[in-house]
Amino acid sequence: AQKRAAELHSLLNQYGYEYYVLDEPSVPDSVYDELYKELVAIEQAFPELQTEESPTQRVGGQVLDAFQKVEHNTPMLSLGNAFNEQDLRDFDRRVKQGLGTDSYSYICELKIDGLAVSLRFEDGLFVKGATRGNGTIGEDITANLRTIRSIPLRLNKPYTMEVRGEAYMPKKSFVTLNEKKEENGEEPFANPRNAAAGSLRQLDPRIAASRNLDIFLYGIGDTGETGVTSHSEGLDLLQTLGLKTNPHRKRCQTIEDVLEYISEWTEKRPSLDYDIDGIVVKVDSLSHQDELGMTAKSPRWAIAYKFPA
Ligand SMILES: COc1nc2nc(N)nc(N)c2nc1C
């Protein structure tokens, strides 16, 4: 039974990855459901097999009475803002001056309008999830983050690492949720960001589980042991580990390419099924990032271009 349960864990994990992360299921839902039912039956017969990594344990039963505080192993940064082309050109000039060369490249990412969270994996197992908080101390919302189907309960490799990302509510889920709230005479959420934040702050994980939240991961807390040398390699690594990253990221050689990417996504923004509030521009090479370092609270190697409100 233990062998079969382990087989079912990895099968259901793989099918879940294909469905929720790649959006390319390789088997019909009926196959997934059959295997899931088989696992539930085995776990009922052998409760000791009901481990925290089992897909049957995604939605915890108990309601917390409060969130614990969690200290992030590496602080979660905050980004300086740019509001126009001049700000971006000033940023690029500072990067060029700081590096003393113009042979560097950027990576551009959509800035998801959600809630910044940090996920901790130990030997591949998802062990803890927290809000950003003040950057050093956040709130333990592990039980709620476990309900996000695109977060694997175990990575494809036994890595120990902290990854950062943005949990969000897709636009369609936001509309449906607010329709339900209006029907029940409840106060609707103002926007998907507030809805995602409100859902992850619920003490009952069953409420978070009902909110159809999703996540895009964008950073590795401590790249040291991963051996990656650029941010874009880091994002590719996250993807191979089974984590969901945003597919619209782009390497840009010059600030002109960055400006082009920004105008492209300013136009395409309404076609996305999630809200974005800007574009994050980062110097791609990690050694260049180390050379440029940080100001008091933000990296000198990154900037967030914010769309006009
Ligand atoms: C390096 O620090 C950051 N990187 C980020 N990257 C993306 N894509 N989105 C963010 N919201 C973000 N936020 C921070 C503080």
Side-chain angles (χ1 to χ4, degrees):
Q2 181 154 17
K3 188 171 162 306
R4 182 61 183 152
E7 266 168 28
L8 289 169
H9 282 182
S10 59
L11 264 178
L12 291 166
N13 210 9
Q14 177 58 26
Y15 294 153
Y17 169 69
E18 291 162 356
Y19 188 89
Y20 293 107
V21 177
L22 302 182
D23 197 14
E24 296 158 9
S26 63
V27 295
D29 295 3
S30 55
V31 168
Y32 183 91
D33 296 346
E34 275 311 299
L35 293 171
Y36 188 91
K37 276 195 221 107
E38 184 188 346
L39 181 58
V40 169
I42 292 179
E43 289 179 353
Q44 248 144 22
F46 304 93
E48 72 279 9
L49 295 178
Q50 223 171 54
T51 58
E52 69 174 308
E53 74 173 276
S54 171
T56 66
Q57 303 306 304
R58 262 194 188 280
V59 184
Q62 76 278 13
V63 179
L64 301 177
D65 50 19
F67 290 120
Q68 303 304 312
K69 293 289 178 204
V70 187
E71 177 156 5
H72 302 300
N73 278 29
T74 39
M76 290 179 72
L77 309 170
S78 61
L79 293 176
N81 291 331
F83 298 98
N84 52 49
E85 178 172 335
Q86 192 50 50
D87 291 347
L88 289 160
R89 291 188 183 283
D90 292 346
F91 167 69
D92 182 48
R93 189 169 31 75
R94 293 195 299 271
V95 166
K96 198 189 300 269
Q97 269 166 353
L99 295 176
T101 167
D102 54 7
S103 62
Y104 53 86
S105 57
Y106 291 115
I107 169 108
C108 292
E109 298 168 74
L110 302 185
K111 189 170 182 304
I112 312 302
D113 195 4
L115 189 75
V117 294
S118 181
L119 310 178
R120 182 157 180 74
F121 292 88
E122 286 174 1
D123 299 323
L125 203 57
F126 177 39
V127 294
K128 189 154 291 205
T131 61
R132 181 182 178 287
N134 64 9
T136 312
I137 308 272
E139 287 182 320
D140 184 336
I141 54 167
T142 308
N144 288 337
L145 288 170
R146 285 171 60 87
T147 70
I148 298 183
R149 296 307 190 276
S150 58
I151 296 178
L153 297 178
R154 179 181 282 286
L155 296 174
N156 294 342
K157 292 197 180 87
Y159 272 64
T160 293
M161 64 196 312
E162 279 194 11
V163 292
R164 276 72 206 264
E166 201 85 2
Y168 68 93
M169 182 179 290
K171 288 177 186 170
K172 288 192 199 74
S173 310
F174 171 68
V175 170
T176 314
L177 174 61
N178 269 358
E179 278 164 2
K180 241 183 274 166
K181 280 198 170 284
E182 315 237 28
E183 276 158 28
N184 303 345
E186 288 169 48
E187 187 65 25
F189 283 107
N191 53 52
R193 192 218 159 279
N194 289 5
S199 303
L200 286 170
R201 278 212 195 91
Q202 292 293 325
L203 291 166
D204 180 354
R206 283 163 294 194
I207 297 177
S210 71
R211 296 286 172 84
N212 190 30
L213 297 171
D214 206 340
I215 193 167
F216 284 120
L217 282 311
Y218 57 67
I220 298 175
D222 173 8
T223 49
E225 62 182 86
T226 59
V228 299
T229 60
S230 70
H231 182 72
S232 38
E233 271 175 49
L235 290 169
D236 296 344
L237 172 67
L238 291 180
Q239 192 133 359
T240 53
L241 292 175
L243 293 163
K244 188 166 183 175
T245 57
N246 192 279
H248 303 307
R249 59 186 181 266
K250 187 164 188 243
R251 293 257 330 244
C252 293
Q253 294 312 316
T254 66
I255 197 68
E256 300 304 330
D257 298 341
V258 169
L259 292 166
E260 203 176 300
Y261 177 88
I262 287 175
S263 54
E264 176 192 351
W265 283 100
T266 303
E267 194 195 313
K268 287 183 180 173
R269 186 180 177 196
S271 70
L272 292 165
D273 68 359
Y274 44 84
D275 275 354
I276 58 173
D277 61 343
I279 302 289
V280 180
V281 184
K282 296 172 189 169
V283 174
D284 197 26
S285 149
L286 296 188
S287 56
H288 282 164
Q289 292 184 6
D290 291 345
E291 250 180 273
L292 290 165
M294 306 274 293
T295 64
K297 62 182 182 59
S298 318
R300 286 199 178 89
W301 42 268
I303 197 152
Y305 167 76
K306 306 288 278 190
F307 291 126

